[in-house]
Amino acid sequence: MAYNTSKELRNDVIYSVFVRNYSEEGTFDAVRRDLPRIKALGTDIIWLMPIHPCGVQNRKGTLGSPYAIRDYRAVNPEFGTEQDFRNLVDAIHDHGMKCIIDVVYNHTSPDSVLSKEHPEFFYHKPDGSFGNRIGDWWDVIDLDYSCRDLWTYQIDTLKMWAGEYHVDGFRCDVASLVPIEFWKEARKAVEAIHPGCIWLAESVEPEFITFNRSHGIPCASDSEIFQAFDISYEYDIRGAFNNYLTGNAELEDYAEAINLQESIYPDNYDKLRFLENHDQLRAAFMIRDSKMLRNWTALQYFQKGTVLLYNGQERCAAHTPGLFDKDTISWDGEDMTPLLQRLYRIRKKDLPADCGIQLYAGGRDILTAIRTENANHPEGELGRRAVGIFSLRGETGLVSVKSYAIPDGIYTNRIDGTKVEVCMGRISTGGEPIIFTL
């Protein structure tokens, strides 16, 4: 883990915006006008997906992938002007939020500025032509970090955005494919001009790591990623999540995968907790039942780690917007805003950021989670605790909590204010999520 990463980041919420499809207008200015609503959801950080011009050569779709970048030092004119971008960043700050932008440093579009001005920065195939090492990414060409001049250019670019444009951090695309030593050097250089910048790594699935390594492509593990980054994706457990939803694994397997993180990562590790993102199916598509979705959403907020909301998730959008064409988000679904606002307040007030967490799978697919404050207390005395009970199939059931040292009594469900009784070491749940504190 980056040694100076604050544990307080664990209780923050990031809201991800794809400018092109956020609105019919698809501009920086349209996002700026909607900032009061985004802030009111309970948002600390806005992550703008790539803001740079897209390549034309080998373009996917009609508009191209935002991850096939033509110029790292320019803004996409499709979204507005450079001044429009500056205005958006300023407005984000005025609303008490931070702004991070996407950094796509593994590759560029084939017709990028760098491919023309610095062909020596790139990976070349045996015949000398540009290429990439991941076959289905045919709209991009890979950079080659054995070239030290590339490091200088890329770090200078990061310093430009953090310094001149006052960007507060970076979400780094497929960070695992870029050398860790580069990220460590970049972090140090940016910190000198913008202290406290946030570094979010798109770490990758275990299968992707082993595949790349077996083909001679260096690929960093999450443990390596944490040397340079504050937050990493939770793709290490995404397989367990998907397998549970599709009936190919038990709830115990998912709980065990999360619990394992507590022992294999540094003490101040921070995982990005999400139900969806721009590369995944929408949560409302995978989880069609409203009660189930409320439980999964509450679990997302209860977990230890920074929460990610993907634009449209708050309105239960079920269609995953395409990345290569105009595909505006539908905002007509069920409004989850009141629930998200309550969960945000709970995170900030009732869930200690410096904590341990343990998950327990019970019958009827009910998951019990306990966050316990890490603090020095007299022998045998536990720190502050928060208890979450999530019926992931939306079913009623009787949950045994006797072995978790939860005293009998009547508690208040922080989500809806109703009373929750623990009697003879058991709680009766009606299928809605429950969070209470001890």
Side-chain angles (χ1 to χ4, degrees):
M1 195 71 187
Y3 74 93
N4 58 347
T5 295
S6 169
K7 293 180 181 180
E8 294 302 318
L9 272 176
R10 292 172 176 164
N11 277 3
D12 280 354
V13 173
I14 297 175
Y15 187 86
S16 173
V17 173
F18 183 23
V19 174
R20 176 190 293 163
N21 289 333
Y22 187 78
S23 63
E24 287 293 341
E25 186 179 321
T27 63
F28 294 130
D29 197 50
V31 177
R32 182 184 59 79
R33 294 194 300 268
D34 204 31
L35 289 178
R37 186 194 67 83
I38 296 173
K39 173 65 176 178
L41 286 173
T43 300
D44 301 290
I45 303 162
I46 290 182
W47 153 28
L48 299 174
M49 288 171 57
I51 61 165
H52 310 298
C54 300
V56 175
Q57 186 178 339
N58 293 351
R59 172 175 281 186
K60 290 182 177 179
T62 57
L63 297 175
S65 169
Y67 292 93
I69 289 173
R70 192 169 73 248
D71 187 352
Y72 290 128
R73 296 183 176 181
V75 300
N76 191 338
E78 172 192 344
F79 300 160
T81 66
E82 176 190 332
Q83 188 59 51
D84 291 334
F85 174 71
R86 290 180 182 272
N87 293 343
L88 174 57
V89 175
D90 288 344
I92 289 171
H93 292 157
D94 289 343
H95 282 83
M97 297 179 287
K98 294 183 177 181
C99 176
I100 65 176
I101 62 171
D102 234 311
V103 169
V104 187
Y105 269 13
N106 178 68
H107 48 257
T108 74
S109 68
D111 55 348
S112 67
V113 169
L114 287 186
S115 70
K116 294 178 173 62
E117 296 181 357
H118 293 284
E120 72 277 13
F121 286 180
F122 289 83
Y123 162 79
H124 294 271
K125 295 187 289 188
D127 65 3
S129 62
F130 293 131
N132 71 72
R133 294 164 294 179
I134 309 296
D136 61 343
W137 297 353
W138 46 263
D139 61 334
V140 296
I141 54 176
D142 283 1
L143 291 159
D144 180 2
Y145 281 83
S146 67
C147 178
R148 287 292 308 192
D149 287 343
L150 171 61
W151 290 41
T152 300
Y153 183 92
Q154 300 290 62
I155 290 172
D156 285 347
T157 302
L158 293 169
K159 290 163 64 178
M160 180 194 83
W161 291 109
E164 297 176 30
Y165 291 85
H166 309 295
V167 165
D168 302 297
F170 305 98
R171 179 269 184 189
C172 302
D173 188 65
V174 285
S176 303
L177 293 179
V178 176
I180 293 299
E181 291 305 314
F182 166 80
W183 291 124
K184 290 166 68 174
E185 188 170 315
R187 180 183 181 119
K188 183 178 180 181
V190 171
E191 185 72 12
I193 65 167
H194 191 142
C197 263
I198 298 163
W199 294 81
L200 165 60
E202 185 199 20
S203 49
V204 296
E205 299 88 343
E207 298 81 7
F208 191 64
I209 295 173
T210 55
F211 171 83
N212 280 291
R213 290 176 175 178
S214 69
H215 287 77
I217 303 170
C219 191
S221 68
D222 283 27
S223 294
E224 293 170 299
I225 282 289
F226 274 138
Q227 296 176 48
F229 286 87
D230 300 305
I231 313 166
S232 80
Y233 271 42
E234 61 170 358
Y235 277 154
D236 54 330
I237 64 166
R238 187 69 180 188
F241 170 78
N242 288 332
N243 287 336
Y244 171 69
L245 283 187
T246 56
N248 295 315
E250 300 298 322
L251 184 57
E252 288 85 351
D253 300 317
Y254 178 60
E256 288 174 6
I258 297 174
N259 289 337
L260 183 61
Q261 293 176 332
E262 284 288 272
S263 61
I264 63 175
Y265 297 129
D267 177 60
N268 62 338
Y269 83 95
D270 188 358
K271 279 288 182 177
L272 188 69
R273 304 300 182 182
F274 54 85
L275 296 179
E276 60 182 66
N277 62 50
H278 66 268
D279 286 322
Q280 304 294 322
L281 292 172
R282 288 284 199 180
F285 179 87
M286 297 183 291
I287 306 166
R288 292 288 185 171
D289 180 83
S290 294
K291 186 183 288 187
M292 288 173 58
L293 187 55
R294 287 194 293 274
N295 276 274
W296 277 105
T297 302
L299 173 60
Q300 176 192 10
Y301 273 71
F302 188 86
Q303 282 198 64
K304 177 179 171 178
T306 304
V307 163
L308 173 69
L309 291 176
Y310 180 46
N311 48 196
Q313 183 177 344
E314 67 269 36
R315 293 305 297 263
C316 295
H319 168 66
T320 302
L323 292 181
F324 316 134
D325 303 282
K326 183 65 176 173
D327 190 7
T328 306
I329 297 168
S330 171
W331 298 95
D332 297 331
E334 179 184 350
D335 189 1
M336 296 274 279
T337 298
L339 175 61
L340 299 180
Q341 291 171 332
R342 291 193 294 270
L343 292 171
Y344 180 78
R345 289 193 291 268
I346 291 169
R347 281 178 71 79
K348 294 297 186 180
K349 181 180 178 182
D350 298 316
L351 304 184
D354 188 2
C355 69
I357 189 169
Q358 195 74 17
L359 279 67
Y360 307 90
R364 305 182 73 81
D365 291 276
I366 298 175
L367 189 73
T368 300
I370 301 177
R371 285 174 64 144
T372 303
E373 181 183 25
N374 292 332
N376 290 322
H377 292 280
E379 185 176 352
E381 183 179 328
L382 294 171
R384 286 190 303 144
R385 286 187 293 163
V387 180
I389 298 174
F390 310 100
S391 181
L392 300 180
R393 300 291 180 189
E395 297 186 8
T396 61
L398 198 61
V399 181
S400 175
V401 295
K402 189 172 185 178
S403 60
Y404 312 149
I406 299 175
D408 283 3
I410 296 177
Y411 302 89
T412 299
N413 184 356
R414 300 293 186 182
I415 297 176
D416 59 12
T418 59
K419 299 302 180 183
V420 178
E421 184 174 7
V422 179
C423 184
M424 301 177 67
R426 293 177 174 84
I427 296 174
S428 179
T429 171
E432 293 289 347
I434 297 169
I435 296 174
F436 62 93
T437 57
L438 302 178

